Amino acid sequence: MSRKEIRFDVKTSPGMVSVEEALSMVLSVVNELGCQSKPVLKCLGQVLAENIVAPFDIPPFDNSAMDGYAVRADDIVSATSETPALLRVIGEVSAGGLSQAQVKPGTAVRIMTGAPLPEGADTVVPFEYTNELSREVGSWIGEEIGIFASLSPGANVRRAGEDMRRGELVIQRGTLLRPAHIGVLASIGRRTVTVIRRPVVGILATGNELLAPGRALSRGKIYNSNSYSLASQVMECGGIPKLLGIALDETEQLSKAVRAGLECDLLITSGGVSVGDYDAVKRVLAAEGEISFWTVRMKPGKPLAFGIFRRRDGSVVPHLGLPGNPVSSMITFEVFARPAILKMMGATNLARPRIVAVMEDTLVNKDHRRIFARVMVNKQGGKYFAKLTGPQGSGILTSMVKANGLAVIPETAERVEPGDNVEVIMLAEDSI
Ligand code: AMP
Ligand code: MG
């Protein structure tokens, strides 16, 4: 092991490392980020960094669950459609209003959904159980209303505190905020909340052959697509991508570009890490930081670099050097970078949902690697079926477009035949 290599617990050379070994080393260097206070509406998908306690009862007051009449249950015990209870309407209250009326025996207040229950009333009779709908009057105040049904006390009343009680822990620190949590935060009057920060992820493409989209294509050149698919993957899992452009396979430029990435929380490079590669990338990465080059027992995506760079103040920036082939870079992101970003965001579940599907194609695993095969999963008769999306070459990016999952073929399986069960990592659950 050279001086520049990180001393990981697990042996990194010679030979290959497993996906699990590589992932656990990545995760061992990556830490949860600090907190920040942000407007509630900006926090969807972030992890809560404080316990949320209800500061008052929700709802704050007893209120009506229906449009109808606020009454005393005692007054309507024998009411039927043949023998209605007749009550004098002494007031009216809508949501947002307040009725000063006291509901005494023989009286009622016309009430709308969400309006505070007037004093003295304990029950709300919906309009459907009154003669309101069959009579035409201008104003109901002072009129008699006929009640057709006997309801038990508390019917159609929402009690103060029935949703949340003052002092109750309503959302726990560590919760991943979904739309309902954002609603709960607003319902207790919060404008800001403390969450774990999203990581800024620097993305640097390397390669003399790369051109930025928008420039004229010339012979021998290709457009840099990796920066775009990787940046989108970063956004999809909640990180903030920072595009650092394209660096030539040349020491000085690359060193500069890497240094520009040191403000980030995580640096991702693509290209320049394979065995036969022009070794400027490897040299620069090794000179600027502490780096290990791994051969991971997986397909696609065998070559991988992982290490750390140190900022001037001694703090550490983890670096993932992904392979340049467009599919390999996306899949190694999925397997290693996504969990790292989620861990930085404080998530407890770092894994995508997995399902078991019936494979519809044959796959041969010649060299005992873990294959991540691009598949389209369909559901038929309550069962999942997985079909390869076409040629599995690591440069065929369109095969990734057609895939909604990655079938995981274990290292130990020599082949998978149609009809065999396979585990599938779902990339787009909403597509089945
Ligand atoms: P490398 O890992 O640098 O040897 O690159 C492997 C293959 O991926 C080569 O065919 C590269 O041209 C291609 N490649 C590398 N980087 C990118 C990129 N950013 N966008 C598209 N293709 C790339
Ligand atoms: Mg290259």
Side-chain angles (χ1 to χ4, degrees):
M1 195 179 260
S2 82
R3 195 176 56 85
K4 286 289 177 196
E5 271 181 314
I6 300 181
R7 294 190 171 275
F8 291 118
D9 293 341
V10 184
K11 207 168 69 176
T12 58
S13 64
M16 292 187 171
V17 293
S18 71
V19 171
E20 279 74 23
E21 285 168 330
L23 179 60
S24 81
M25 287 188 278
V26 170
L27 293 179
S28 73
V29 173
V30 162
N31 296 310
E32 189 177 296
L33 299 177
C35 313
Q36 61 181 160
S37 178
K38 284 172 69 175
V40 162
L41 203 46
K42 299 267 184 224
C43 296
L44 184 67
Q46 285 185 266
V47 171
L48 191 64
E50 59 172 318
N51 280 329
I52 301 294
V53 172
F56 48 82
D57 285 350
I58 308 280
F61 46 86
D62 292 350
N63 68 94
S64 178
M66 300 287 280
D67 292 343
Y69 284 88
V71 303
R72 299 157 47 93
D74 280 354
D75 281 352
I76 59 168
V77 275
S78 51
T80 66
S81 48
E82 282 82 42
T83 58
L86 296 176
L87 304 174
R88 178 154 313 278
V89 182
I90 55 163
E92 194 167 23
V93 62
S94 53
L98 254 185
S99 172
Q100 302 305 329
Q102 281 258 353
V103 179
K104 299 213 168 84
T107 69
V109 166
R110 196 164 181 268
I111 192 166
M112 300 299 139
T113 306
L117 201 68
E119 227 173 287
D122 56 17
T123 304
V124 172
V125 182
F127 286 149
E128 297 86 301
Y129 300 113
T130 71
N131 63 359
E132 153 126 3
L133 302 174
S134 58
R135 273 173 67 194
E136 252 181 54
V137 295
S139 161
W140 280 93
I141 311 267
E143 296 282 325
E144 266 191 342
I145 184 79
I147 309 285
F148 298 152
S150 158
L151 299 177
S152 33
N156 303 309
V157 175
R158 302 172 182 148
R159 289 286 170 211
E162 74 173 23
D163 192 359
M164 303 168 225
R165 277 246 163 258
R166 182 196 158 136
E168 186 188 331
L169 175 65
V170 282
I171 318 176
Q172 201 154 13
R173 170 203 296 266
T175 302
L176 184 73
L177 297 176
R178 291 180 288 109
H181 298 117
I182 304 295
V184 164
L185 289 166
S187 75
I188 60 166
R190 292 291 294 259
R191 284 161 49 111
T192 59
V193 71
T194 309
V195 288
I196 298 170
R197 196 163 67 70
R198 296 180 185 280
V200 175
V201 181
I203 296 171
L204 176 65
T206 72
N208 293 339
E209 74 282 27
L210 300 178
L211 277 177
R215 307 219 9 219
L217 202 57
S218 52
R219 203 168 162 75
K221 306 280 184 185
I222 59 168
Y223 286 123
N224 164 25
S225 62
N226 289 353
S227 294
Y228 294 83
S229 42
L230 290 169
S232 306
Q233 288 178 292
V234 168
M235 288 189 275
E236 195 189 40
C237 64
I240 302 166
K242 183 176 178 194
L243 293 193
L244 301 170
I246 300 166
L248 298 178
D249 296 313
E250 181 263 316
T251 313
E252 210 169 300
Q253 248 214 28
L254 253 161
S255 308
K256 235 172 105 182
V258 163
R259 276 186 224 122
L262 295 188
E263 293 161 24
C264 301
D265 299 303
L266 169 68
L267 175 64
I268 293 180
T269 57
S270 79
V273 291
S274 45
V275 182
D277 223 310
Y278 186 69
D279 65 1
V281 178
K282 291 182 179 178
R283 233 183 14 245
V284 168
L285 296 180
E288 300 281 327
E290 299 165 39
I291 189 112
S292 282
F293 297 96
W294 300 335
T295 307
V296 183
R297 207 174 293 125
M298 67 185 280
K299 186 180 173 183
K302 191 162 68 166
L304 192 77
F306 179 66
I308 53 171
F309 291 110
R310 286 189 198 281
R311 300 190 187 98
R312 283 226 176 88
D313 65 0
S315 59
V316 158
V317 185
H319 165 238
L320 262 171
L322 307 183
N325 276 309
V327 174
S328 309
S329 93
M330 284 194 78
I331 291 181
T332 45
F333 179 97
E334 185 59 40
V335 176
F336 301 109
R338 184 178 184 275
I341 290 170
L342 292 179
K343 185 176 178 191
M344 287 178 159
M345 293 182 64
T348 41
N349 177 20
L350 306 183
R352 293 259 201 195
R354 291 178 180 230
I355 57 153
V356 173
V358 178
M359 195 68 192
E360 295 190 301
D361 295 292
T362 301
L363 265 171
V364 181
N365 193 359
K366 278 182 279 200
D367 50 2
H368 302 291
R369 289 197 265 161
R370 187 173 308 176
I371 300 178
F372 294 91
R374 284 141 266 169
V375 293
M376 172 50 89
V377 175
N378 281 302
K379 199 173 186 183
Q380 284 162 30
K383 253 186 160 182
Y384 294 111
F385 293 88
K387 195 160 185 48
L388 291 179
T389 58
Q392 296 287 300
S394 53
I396 315 277
L397 196 50
T398 50
S399 67
M400 202 65 192
V401 170
K402 293 171 194 150
N404 60 1
L406 296 173
V408 186
I409 316 302
E411 296 86 322
T412 48
E414 290 196 351
R415 56 192 292 130
V416 172
E417 307 275 4
D420 288 351
N421 277 341
V422 287
E423 206 177 20
V424 181
I425 300 171
M426 289 311 297
L427 301 175
E429 283 171 282
D430 48 4
S431 63
I432 46 170

